[in-house]
Amino acid sequence: MDKVEIEFKPLEGDKLTIINKDVVPTLSQYLHLKDEMKAKRHIIIVFVDNEKDEEAVNIFLKESKLEGVMIIIRTVK
């Protein structure tokens, strides 16, 4: 089993988000709020199960320029 460790400091303002449905609208909303979100470090876990969701993740990563980590979990059916 692989182990992934990420420092999470909620007392210093870190934000943790788990997106497991409505990936496209959620990331679109976050992209519109990126200026407000830049003051924080983000850890985002997102589950994708289709090309549309994966494309939304790629656009978000390219455009948001937020500080933090995004973990992408591809759901295979």
Side-chain angles (χ1 to χ4, degrees):
M1 179 174 282
D2 292 333
K3 178 179 175 180
V4 176
E5 290 186 30
I6 298 169
E7 273 192 20
F8 178 57
K9 301 176 185 176
L11 297 178
E12 293 180 23
D14 286 3
K15 299 294 179 191
L16 174 64
T17 305
I18 299 173
I19 304 170
N20 60 0
K21 61 181 179 178
D22 301 323
V23 172
V24 174
T26 303
L27 290 178
S28 294
Q29 179 181 1
Y30 285 1
L31 199 53
H32 289 297
L33 299 173
K34 69 180 178 183
D35 291 334
E36 297 170 25
M37 296 174 65
K38 282 191 179 185
K40 308 277 188 240
R41 180 175 172 268
H42 296 272
I43 299 169
I44 301 173
I45 301 170
V46 61
F47 291 81
V48 298
D49 62 1
N50 59 58
E51 287 183 28
K52 185 177 176 184
D53 289 352
E54 195 162 339
E55 185 178 330
V57 167
N58 291 332
I59 290 169
F60 180 81
L61 288 171
K62 182 179 176 184
E63 300 293 325
S64 71
K65 305 215 180 354
L66 294 176
E67 183 181 333
V69 176
M70 179 175 273
I71 299 170
I72 302 164
I73 299 174
R74 286 185 183 85
T75 305
V76 179
K77 295 178 181 177

